Coordinates of all heavy atoms in Angstrom, one line a residue:
M31 N -47.5 49.3 -21.8 CA -48.0 48.0 -21.2 C -48.3 47.1 -22.5 O -48.8 47.8 -23.4 CB -49.2 48.3 -20.5 CG -49.8 47.1 -19.8 SD -51.4 47.3 -18.9 CE -50.8 47.8 -17.5
A32 N -47.9 45.9 -22.4 CA -48.2 45.0 -23.5 C -49.8 44.6 -23.4 O -50.3 44.5 -22.4 CB -47.3 43.8 -23.3
A33 N -50.2 44.2 -24.7 CA -51.6 43.8 -24.7 C -51.6 42.3 -24.3 O -50.7 41.6 -24.6 CB -52.1 43.9 -26.1
V34 N -52.9 41.9 -23.7 CA -52.8 40.6 -23.3 C -54.0 40.0 -24.3 O -55.1 40.6 -24.3 CB -53.5 40.6 -21.8 CG1 -53.7 39.2 -21.4 CG2 -52.4 41.2 -20.9
R35 N -53.7 38.8 -24.7 CA -54.8 38.2 -25.7 C -54.9 36.7 -25.1 O -54.2 36.2 -24.5 CB -54.1 38.1 -27.1 CG -53.9 39.4 -27.7 CD -53.5 39.3 -29.1 NE -52.8 38.0 -29.4 CZ -52.1 37.9 -30.4 NH1 -51.9 38.9 -31.3 NH2 -51.5 36.8 -30.7
P36 N -56.1 36.3 -25.2 CA -56.6 35.0 -24.8 C -55.8 33.9 -25.5 O -55.5 34.1 -26.7 CB -58.1 34.9 -24.8 CG -58.4 35.9 -26.0 CD -57.2 36.9 -25.8
I37 N -55.6 32.7 -24.9 CA -55.1 31.5 -25.6 C -56.3 30.8 -26.4 O -57.3 30.5 -25.7 CB -54.5 30.5 -24.6 CG1 -53.4 31.1 -23.8 CG2 -54.0 29.3 -25.4 CD1 -53.0 30.4 -22.6
M38 N -56.2 30.7 -27.6 CA -57.2 30.3 -28.5 C -57.1 28.8 -28.8 O -58.0 28.3 -29.2 CB -57.4 31.2 -29.8 CG -57.6 32.7 -29.5 SD -59.1 33.0 -28.6 CE -60.3 32.9 -30.0
D39 N -55.9 28.3 -28.8 CA -55.7 26.9 -29.2 C -55.9 26.1 -28.0 O -55.4 26.0 -26.9 CB -54.2 26.8 -29.5 CG -53.8 25.5 -30.1 OD1 -54.6 24.6 -30.2 OD2 -52.7 25.3 -30.4
M40 N -57.0 25.1 -28.2 CA -57.5 24.2 -27.2 C -56.4 23.2 -26.8 O -56.5 22.7 -25.7 CB -58.8 23.5 -27.6 CG -60.0 24.3 -27.7 SD -60.5 25.1 -26.2 CE -60.8 23.6 -25.2
K41 N -55.6 22.8 -27.7 CA -54.4 22.0 -27.3 C -53.5 22.6 -26.3 O -53.1 21.9 -25.4 CB -53.7 21.5 -28.7 CG -52.6 20.6 -28.4 CD -53.2 19.3 -28.5 CE -52.0 18.2 -28.6 NZ -52.4 16.9 -28.3
I42 N -53.3 23.8 -26.3 CA -52.5 24.5 -25.3 C -53.1 24.5 -24.0 O -52.5 24.1 -23.0 CB -52.0 25.9 -25.9 CG1 -51.2 25.8 -27.0 CG2 -51.4 26.6 -24.7 CD1 -50.8 27.2 -27.7
L43 N -54.4 24.7 -23.9 CA -55.2 24.8 -22.8 C -55.3 23.4 -22.2 O -55.1 23.2 -20.9 CB -56.6 25.3 -23.1 CG -56.8 26.8 -23.2 CD1 -58.2 27.1 -23.5 CD2 -56.2 27.5 -22.0
E44 N -55.5 22.3 -22.9 CA -55.5 20.9 -22.5 C -54.1 20.5 -21.9 O -54.0 19.9 -20.8 CB -55.9 20.0 -23.6 CG -57.4 20.2 -24.0 CD -57.7 19.4 -25.2 OE1 -56.9 18.8 -25.8 OE2 -58.9 19.6 -25.7
N45 N -53.1 21.0 -22.6 CA -51.6 20.7 -22.1 C -51.5 21.4 -20.8 O -50.9 20.8 -19.8 CB -50.6 21.2 -23.1 CG -50.6 20.2 -24.3 OD1 -51.1 19.1 -24.1 ND2 -50.0 20.7 -25.3
M46 N -51.9 22.6 -20.6 CA -51.7 23.4 -19.4 C -52.5 22.7 -18.1 O -52.1 22.6 -17.1 CB -52.3 24.8 -19.5 CG -51.4 25.6 -20.2 SD -51.9 27.4 -20.5 CE -51.9 27.9 -18.9
M47 N -53.8 22.3 -18.5 CA -54.6 21.6 -17.5 C -54.1 20.2 -17.0 O -54.1 20.0 -15.9 CB -56.1 21.4 -17.9 CG -56.8 22.7 -18.0 SD -58.6 22.5 -18.3 CE -58.6 22.2 -20.2
G48 N -53.5 19.5 -18.1 CA -52.8 18.3 -17.8 C -51.6 18.4 -16.8 O -51.4 17.8 -15.8
Y49 N -50.8 19.4 -17.2 CA -49.6 19.7 -16.4 C -50.0 20.2 -14.9 O -49.4 19.6 -14.0 CB -48.8 20.9 -17.0 CG -47.8 21.4 -16.1 CD1 -46.5 20.7 -16.0 CD2 -47.8 22.5 -15.4 CE1 -45.4 21.2 -15.2 CE2 -46.8 23.1 -14.6 CZ -45.7 22.4 -14.5 OH -44.6 22.8 -13.7
L50 N -51.0 21.0 -14.8 CA -51.4 21.5 -13.6 C -52.1 20.4 -12.7 O -51.8 20.3 -11.5 CB -52.5 22.7 -13.7 CG -51.9 24.0 -14.1 CD1 -52.9 25.0 -14.3 CD2 -50.9 24.5 -13.1
R51 N -52.8 19.4 -13.3 CA -53.5 18.4 -12.6 C -52.3 17.4 -12.0 O -52.5 16.9 -10.9 CB -54.3 17.6 -13.6 CG -55.0 16.5 -12.9 CD -56.0 15.9 -13.7 NE -57.3 16.0 -13.1 CZ -58.5 15.7 -13.7 NH1 -58.5 15.1 -14.8 NH2 -59.7 15.8 -13.0
E52 N -51.2 17.2 -12.7 CA -50.3 16.4 -12.3 C -49.4 17.0 -11.4 O -49.0 16.4 -10.2 CB -49.2 15.9 -13.4 CG -49.9 15.0 -14.5 CD -48.9 14.8 -15.6 OE1 -47.8 15.4 -15.6 OE2 -49.4 14.2 -16.6
R53 N -49.3 18.4 -11.3 CA -48.4 19.1 -10.4 C -49.2 19.3 -9.1 O -48.6 19.1 -7.9 CB -48.0 20.4 -10.9 CG -47.1 21.3 -10.1 CD -46.7 22.5 -10.9 NE -46.0 23.3 -10.0 CZ -46.3 24.4 -9.5 NH1 -47.6 24.8 -9.7 NH2 -45.6 25.2 -8.6
S54 N -50.4 19.9 -9.1 CA -51.2 20.3 -7.9 C -52.6 20.4 -8.3 O -53.0 21.2 -9.2 CB -50.7 21.6 -7.5 OG -51.6 22.1 -6.6
F55 N -53.5 19.5 -7.7 CA -54.9 19.5 -8.0 C -55.6 20.9 -7.6 O -56.4 21.3 -8.3 CB -55.6 18.4 -7.3 CG -57.0 18.2 -7.8 CD1 -57.2 17.6 -9.0 CD2 -58.1 18.4 -7.0 CE1 -58.5 17.5 -9.6 CE2 -59.4 18.2 -7.5 CZ -59.5 17.8 -8.8
R56 N -55.1 21.6 -6.5 CA -55.5 22.9 -6.2 C -55.3 23.9 -7.3 O -56.2 24.6 -7.8 CB -54.9 23.3 -5.0 CG -55.3 24.7 -4.4 CD -54.3 25.3 -3.6 NE -53.1 25.6 -4.3 CZ -52.3 26.6 -4.1 NH1 -52.4 27.3 -3.1 NH2 -51.2 26.7 -4.9
D57 N -54.0 23.8 -7.9 CA -53.8 24.8 -9.0 C -54.6 24.5 -10.2 O -55.1 25.4 -10.9 CB -52.3 24.8 -9.3 CG -51.3 25.1 -8.2 OD1 -52.0 25.9 -7.4 OD2 -50.3 25.1 -8.4
Y58 N -54.9 23.2 -10.5 CA -55.6 22.8 -11.6 C -57.2 23.3 -11.4 O -57.7 23.9 -12.3 CB -55.7 21.3 -11.7 CG -56.8 20.7 -12.6 CD1 -56.7 20.8 -14.0 CD2 -58.0 20.1 -12.0 CE1 -57.8 20.3 -14.7 CE2 -58.9 19.6 -12.9 CZ -58.8 19.7 -14.2 OH -59.8 19.2 -15.0
L59 N -57.6 23.1 -10.2 CA -59.1 23.7 -9.9 C -59.1 25.2 -10.1 O -60.1 25.7 -10.6 CB -59.6 23.2 -8.6 CG -59.9 21.7 -8.4 CD1 -60.4 21.5 -7.0 CD2 -61.0 21.5 -9.4
I60 N -58.1 26.0 -9.5 CA -58.1 27.3 -9.7 C -58.1 27.8 -11.2 O -58.8 28.7 -11.5 CB -56.9 28.0 -8.8 CG1 -57.2 27.8 -7.4 CG2 -56.8 29.5 -9.2 CD1 -56.1 28.3 -6.4
F61 N -57.3 27.1 -11.9 CA -57.2 27.3 -13.4 C -58.5 27.2 -14.1 O -58.9 28.0 -14.7 CB -56.0 26.6 -14.1 CG -55.9 26.7 -15.4 CD1 -55.3 28.1 -15.8 CD2 -56.4 25.9 -16.3 CE1 -55.1 28.2 -17.2 CE2 -56.2 26.2 -17.8 CZ -55.6 27.2 -18.2
K62 N -59.0 26.1 -13.8 CA -60.3 25.6 -14.4 C -61.5 26.6 -14.0 O -62.3 26.9 -15.0 CB -60.6 24.2 -14.0 CG -61.8 23.6 -14.7 CD -61.4 22.7 -15.9 CE -62.6 21.9 -16.2 NZ -62.4 21.3 -17.5
V63 N -61.6 26.8 -12.8 CA -62.6 27.8 -12.4 C -62.3 29.2 -13.0 O -63.4 29.8 -13.4 CB -62.6 27.9 -10.9 CG1 -63.6 29.1 -10.3 CG2 -63.1 26.7 -10.2
G64 N -61.0 29.7 -13.0 CA -60.7 30.9 -13.6 C -61.1 31.1 -15.1 O -61.5 32.0 -15.5
I65 N -60.8 30.0 -15.8 CA -61.1 30.2 -17.2 C -62.6 30.0 -17.6 O -63.0 30.5 -18.7 CB -60.4 29.1 -18.2 CG1 -60.6 27.6 -17.9 CG2 -58.8 29.4 -18.2 CD1 -60.0 26.7 -18.8
N66 N -63.3 29.4 -16.7 CA -64.8 29.2 -17.0 C -65.5 30.4 -16.3 O -66.7 30.7 -16.9 CB -65.2 27.9 -16.3 CG -64.9 26.7 -17.2 OD1 -65.5 26.5 -18.3 ND2 -63.9 25.9 -16.9
L67 N -65.1 31.0 -15.3 CA -65.9 32.1 -14.8 C -65.4 33.5 -15.0 O -66.1 34.4 -15.0 CB -65.9 31.9 -13.2 CG -66.5 30.7 -12.6 CD1 -66.5 30.7 -11.1 CD2 -68.0 30.5 -13.2
G68 N -64.1 33.8 -15.4 CA -63.7 35.0 -15.8 C -63.4 35.9 -14.6 O -63.5 37.1 -14.7
L69 N -63.3 35.3 -13.4 CA -63.1 36.2 -12.2 C -61.6 36.7 -12.1 O -60.7 36.1 -12.7 CB -63.5 35.4 -10.9 CG -64.9 34.9 -10.8 CD1 -65.1 34.2 -9.6 CD2 -65.8 36.2 -10.7
S70 N -61.5 37.8 -11.4 CA -60.1 38.3 -11.2 C -59.3 37.3 -10.3 O -59.9 36.4 -9.6 CB -60.0 39.6 -10.5 OG -60.6 39.6 -9.3
V71 N -58.0 37.4 -10.3 CA -57.2 36.4 -9.5 C -57.5 36.6 -8.1 O -57.7 35.7 -7.2 CB -55.7 36.6 -9.8 CG1 -54.8 35.9 -8.8 CG2 -55.4 36.3 -11.2
Q72 N -57.7 38.0 -7.6 CA -58.0 38.2 -6.2 C -59.4 37.5 -5.9 O -59.5 36.9 -4.8 CB -58.2 39.5 -6.0 CG -58.5 40.0 -4.5 CD -58.4 41.5 -4.3 OE1 -58.3 42.3 -5.3 NE2 -58.9 42.0 -3.1
D73 N -60.5 37.6 -6.8 CA -61.7 37.0 -6.4 C -61.5 35.4 -6.4 O -62.2 34.8 -5.6 CB -62.8 37.3 -7.4 CG -63.1 38.7 -7.3 OD1 -62.9 39.4 -6.2 OD2 -63.6 39.4 -8.2
L74 N -60.8 34.8 -7.3 CA -60.6 33.4 -7.2 C -59.8 32.9 -6.0 O -60.3 31.8 -5.5 CB -59.6 33.0 -8.4 CG -60.3 33.0 -9.9 CD1 -59.2 32.8 -10.9 CD2 -61.4 32.0 -9.9
L75 N -58.9 33.6 -5.5 CA -58.2 33.2 -4.3 C -59.0 33.3 -3.1 O -58.8 32.7 -2.1 CB -56.9 34.0 -4.1 CG -55.8 33.8 -5.2 CD1 -54.7 34.7 -4.9 CD2 -55.4 32.2 -5.3
M76 N -60.0 34.2 -3.1 CA -60.9 34.4 -2.0 C -62.1 33.3 -1.9 O -62.7 33.3 -0.9 CB -61.7 35.7 -1.9 CG -60.5 37.0 -2.1 SD -60.3 37.8 -0.6 CE -61.9 38.1 0.1
L77 N -62.2 32.6 -3.0 CA -63.4 31.7 -3.0 C -63.0 30.5 -2.0 O -62.0 30.1 -1.8 CB -63.4 31.0 -4.4 CG -64.1 31.7 -5.5 CD1 -64.0 31.0 -6.9 CD2 -65.6 32.1 -5.2
Q78 N -64.2 30.0 -1.4 CA -64.1 29.0 -0.5 C -64.8 27.8 -1.3 O -65.7 28.0 -2.1 CB -64.8 29.3 0.8 CG -64.3 30.4 1.6 CD -63.0 30.0 2.2 OE1 -62.8 28.9 2.8 NE2 -62.0 30.8 1.9
I79 N -64.6 26.5 -0.8 CA -65.1 25.3 -1.6 C -66.6 25.4 -1.3 O -67.4 25.0 -2.2 CB -64.5 24.0 -1.0 CG1 -64.8 22.8 -1.9 CG2 -64.8 23.8 0.4 CD1 -64.2 22.8 -3.2
E80 N -67.0 25.9 -0.2 CA -68.5 25.9 0.1 C -69.2 27.0 -0.9 O -70.6 26.8 -1.1 CB -68.8 26.3 1.5 CG -68.3 25.4 2.5 CD -66.9 25.6 2.9 OE1 -66.3 26.8 2.7 OE2 -66.2 24.7 3.3
D81 N -68.5 27.8 -1.6 CA -69.1 28.7 -2.4 C -69.5 28.1 -3.7 O -70.4 28.6 -4.4 CB -68.1 29.8 -2.8 CG -67.7 30.7 -1.6 OD1 -68.6 30.8 -0.8 OD2 -66.7 31.4 -1.7
L82 N -68.9 26.9 -4.1 CA -69.2 26.3 -5.4 C -69.8 24.9 -5.2 O -70.7 24.6 -6.1 CB -67.9 26.0 -6.1 CG -67.0 27.4 -6.4 CD1 -65.8 27.1 -7.0 CD2 -67.8 28.3 -7.2
I83 N -69.5 24.2 -4.2 CA -70.1 22.8 -4.2 C -71.6 22.8 -4.0 O -72.2 23.5 -3.1 CB -69.5 22.0 -2.9 CG1 -68.0 22.0 -3.0 CG2 -70.1 20.7 -2.6 CD1 -67.6 21.0 -4.2
G84 N -72.2 22.0 -4.9 CA -73.7 21.8 -4.9 C -74.5 23.0 -5.2 O -75.7 23.1 -5.1
K85 N -73.9 24.0 -5.9 CA -74.6 25.2 -6.3 C -74.5 25.4 -7.8 O -73.6 25.1 -8.4 CB -74.1 26.4 -5.7 CG -74.2 26.5 -4.2 CD -73.7 27.7 -3.6 CE -73.8 27.8 -2.1 NZ -73.3 29.0 -1.6
K86 N -75.5 25.9 -8.4 CA -75.7 26.3 -9.8 C -75.3 27.7 -10.0 O -75.0 28.1 -11.1 CB -77.0 25.9 -10.5 CG -77.2 24.3 -10.4 CD -78.6 23.9 -11.1 CE -78.7 22.5 -11.0 NZ -79.9 22.1 -11.8
V87 N -75.7 28.5 -9.0 CA -75.5 29.9 -9.2 C -75.0 30.5 -7.8 O -75.2 30.1 -6.7 CB -76.9 30.6 -9.2 CG1 -76.7 32.3 -9.2 CG2 -77.5 30.1 -10.5
F88 N -74.0 31.4 -7.9 CA -73.4 32.0 -6.7 C -73.2 33.5 -7.0 O -73.2 34.0 -8.1 CB -72.2 31.3 -6.0 CG -70.9 31.5 -6.8 CD1 -70.0 32.5 -6.4 CD2 -70.6 30.9 -8.0 CE1 -68.9 32.7 -7.1 CE2 -69.4 31.1 -8.6 CZ -68.6 32.0 -8.2
I89 N -73.1 34.2 -6.0 CA -72.9 35.8 -6.1 C -71.4 36.0 -5.7 O -70.9 35.6 -4.6 CB -73.9 36.4 -5.1 CG1 -75.3 36.1 -5.3 CG2 -73.7 38.0 -5.3 CD1 -76.0 36.4 -6.5
S90 N -70.9 36.9 -6.6 CA -69.4 37.3 -6.4 C -69.4 38.7 -6.6 O -69.6 39.1 -7.8 CB -68.5 36.5 -7.2 OG -67.2 37.1 -7.1
G91 N -69.2 39.6 -5.8 CA -68.9 41.0 -6.0 C -70.2 41.7 -6.4 O -70.2 42.6 -7.2
G92 N -71.4 41.1 -6.1 CA -72.7 41.6 -6.4 C -73.1 41.2 -7.8 O -74.2 41.6 -8.2
H93 N -72.4 40.3 -8.4 CA -72.7 39.6 -9.7 C -73.0 38.2 -9.5 O -72.6 37.4 -8.8 CB -71.5 39.8 -10.7 CG -71.1 41.1 -11.0 ND1 -71.7 41.9 -11.7 CD2 -70.0 41.7 -10.5 CE1 -71.1 43.1 -11.9 NE2 -70.1 43.1 -11.1
K94 N -74.2 37.8 -10.2 CA -74.9 36.5 -10.1 C -73.9 35.8 -11.2 O -73.9 36.1 -12.3 CB -76.3 36.4 -10.4 CG -76.8 35.1 -10.3 CD -78.2 34.9 -10.7 CE -79.2 35.7 -9.9 NZ -80.6 35.4 -10.2
I95 N -73.4 34.6 -10.8 CA -72.6 33.8 -11.7 C -73.1 32.4 -11.8 O -73.3 31.8 -10.6 CB -71.1 33.8 -11.1 CG1 -70.5 35.2 -11.4 CG2 -70.3 32.9 -12.1 CD1 -69.1 35.2 -10.7
V96 N -73.5 31.9 -13.0 CA -74.0 30.6 -13.1 C -72.9 29.7 -13.5 O -72.0 29.9 -14.4 CB -75.0 30.6 -14.3 CG1 -75.5 29.4 -14.5 CG2 -76.1 31.6 -14.1
L97 N -72.8 28.5 -12.7 CA -71.8 27.5 -13.0 C -72.2 26.5 -14.1 O -73.3 26.1 -14.1 CB -71.5 26.7 -11.8 CG -71.0 27.5 -10.5 CD1 -70.8 26.6 -9.3 CD2 -69.7 28.2 -10.9
S98 N -71.3 26.3 -15.1 CA -71.6 25.4 -16.1 C -71.7 23.9 -15.5 O -71.2 23.7 -14.4 CB -70.6 25.3 -17.2 OG -69.3 24.9 -16.6
E99 N -72.4 23.0 -16.3 CA -72.4 21.5 -15.7 C -71.1 20.9 -15.6 O -70.9 20.3 -14.6 CB -73.4 20.8 -16.7 CG -74.8 21.1 -16.4 CD -75.7 20.1 -17.3 OE1 -75.2 19.0 -17.5 OE2 -76.7 20.6 -17.7
A100 N -70.2 21.3 -16.5 CA -68.8 20.8 -16.5 C -68.1 21.2 -15.3 O -67.3 20.4 -14.7 CB -68.1 21.2 -17.8
L101 N -68.3 22.6 -15.0 CA -67.6 23.1 -13.7 C -68.2 22.5 -12.5 O -67.5 22.3 -11.5 CB -67.7 24.6 -13.7 CG -66.8 25.3 -12.8 CD1 -65.2 25.0 -13.1 CD2 -66.9 26.8 -13.1
Q102 N -69.4 22.2 -12.5 CA -70.1 21.7 -11.3 C -69.6 20.3 -10.9 O -69.4 20.0 -9.9 CB -71.6 21.6 -11.5 CG -72.3 23.0 -11.5 CD -73.8 22.8 -11.8 OE1 -74.5 21.8 -11.6 NE2 -74.4 23.9 -12.2
K103 N -69.3 19.5 -11.9 CA -68.8 18.2 -11.8 C -67.3 18.3 -11.1 O -66.9 17.5 -10.4 CB -68.6 17.4 -13.1 CG -70.1 17.1 -13.7 CD -69.9 16.4 -15.0 CE -71.3 16.1 -15.5 NZ -71.3 15.3 -16.7

């Protein structure tokens, strides 16, 4: 199995976010939430909008997760 490494170059992340935002706002939001929260793909797909809107903290899989101000916006 190949090793997985994070993308460290902010320019690449910004380009990916720009592409996703133009293509699909839903995909952009899933990506943005994913890189900020570090949840598994399965957990990301199970999220409902009510889980995040207007909250600073939510529980996922028994873990308390704090949303950053940027992600709350």
Side-chain angles (χ1 to χ4, degrees):
M31 179 186 280
V34 178
R35 297 187 333 201
I37 300 170
M38 301 299 286
D39 187 358
M40 287 301 294
K41 183 79 170 164
I42 293 173
L43 286 175
E44 290 170 2
N45 287 341
M46 287 176 68
M47 284 190 284
Y49 171 78
L50 289 171
R51 181 175 242 174
E52 290 174 6
R53 184 173 174 262
S54 166
F55 194 69
R56 179 199 66 148
D57 293 346
Y58 166 75
L59 285 177
I60 291 172
F61 180 77
K62 186 93 170 169
V63 170
I65 63 173
N66 281 288
L67 297 183
L69 296 174
S70 69
V71 173
Q72 182 178 356
D73 290 339
L74 286 173
L75 294 175
M76 302 262 312
L77 283 176
Q78 298 290 316
I79 194 72
E80 296 84 24
D81 295 336
L82 302 175
I83 296 292
K85 296 184 180 179
K86 294 183 180 182
V87 176
F88 76 99
I89 307 295
S90 175
H93 300 285
K94 185 187 293 188
I95 299 174
V96 179
L97 300 176
S98 68
E99 287 186 32
L101 194 54
Q102 289 175 20
K103 291 179 184 179

